[in-house]
Amino acid sequence: PSTSTPRRSSRSRAPRWRAEASGEARFDRLTLRDIRLSTGTAERTLAFSGTVDAAFGPPARLDGALVARSIDLDRVIGSANADRKDLPALVARLFESVPALANPGLDGRITLDVAAMTLGGDVARDLKVDAIARDGAWQLRAFEARLPGQAQVNVSGALGLRGMPTRFDGPVAVRIGAPATFAAWFSG
């Protein structure tokens, strides 16, 4: 018998994500705890504690509160050593790898609290995100983080991820204690 490798469409070029969790299911609701997301190898694993609650509606809704001690996005996204410090390309790769980020199919609220996150070859600390998905779009109630270069960022507003370019409408506050260090990290 002949075998062939199925062709992957351009849409399927994004990494395949795998999820593991414990939880409970009822006819109208699914609740998940201790969530692990991965894109393949052990070094590309995101581990969270917290819960995700899906109500099957009507109206259908997805709410989650996730906490992680440490995330290495450089490894999870699989950036090559040569471009690890290209922060804008790394963030773009993140959105390409998880298309649902650009177009949430359900209304809901997601909170994320990460103590340390490797991104662009350095560590961001105290990342907190509170985002609401409504009518296929994201509203950031709060995004805050301590970034390399003794920088603190606080953002809230409407985030448009569909199409290019990405759009944002809202206040952004950035305080930078070491501008040269921040610029080197941000620009790669």
Side-chain angles (χ1 to χ4, degrees):
S2 173
T3 61
S4 64
T5 304
R7 298 186 126 205
R8 292 177 69 167
S9 71
S10 62
R11 184 170 200 172
S12 65
R13 287 188 188 142
R16 295 177 193 253
W17 287 81
R18 188 173 54 246
E20 300 173 27
S22 60
E24 301 171 10
R26 297 187 334 215
F27 72 94
D28 63 340
R29 170 169 258 108
L30 173 66
T31 300
L32 302 174
R33 290 180 288 292
D34 301 322
I35 298 160
R36 291 178 62 82
L37 301 171
S38 64
T39 60
T41 64
E43 69 212 19
R44 290 188 174 186
T45 297
L46 301 174
F48 296 97
S49 59
T51 61
V52 172
D53 190 46
F56 302 127
R61 185 173 175 83
L62 182 69
D63 295 298
L66 303 174
V67 178
R69 274 188 356 171
S70 179
I71 292 176
D72 187 340
L73 276 184
D74 288 342
R75 283 189 183 192
V76 169
I77 297 169
S79 57
N81 289 336
D83 66 359
R84 280 185 78 133
K85 293 199 55 109
D86 184 353
L87 185 62
L90 191 62
V91 172
R93 196 173 299 121
L94 172 65
F95 287 111
E96 289 169 3
S97 70
V98 187
L101 288 175
N103 187 14
L106 295 173
D107 288 355
R109 180 177 179 193
I110 299 293
T111 61
L112 182 62
D113 189 345
V114 179
M117 179 175 65
T118 304
L119 178 63
D122 211 333
V123 178
R125 301 194 183 281
D126 302 324
L127 173 76
K128 296 182 186 338
V129 178
D130 185 351
I132 294 174
R134 184 176 300 128
D135 299 327
W138 288 103
Q139 178 74 30
L140 284 176
R141 293 179 67 181
F143 173 94
E144 57 187 64
R146 290 185 337 180
L147 304 175
Q150 301 172 10
Q152 174 72 37
V153 63
N154 295 291
V155 175
S156 62
L159 182 60
L161 298 173
R162 283 190 252 180
M164 291 308 253
T166 297
R167 296 176 334 276
F168 179 77
D169 182 18
V172 175
V174 180
R175 290 183 306 277
I176 302 172
T181 303
F182 177 80
W185 169 73
F186 186 80
S187 65

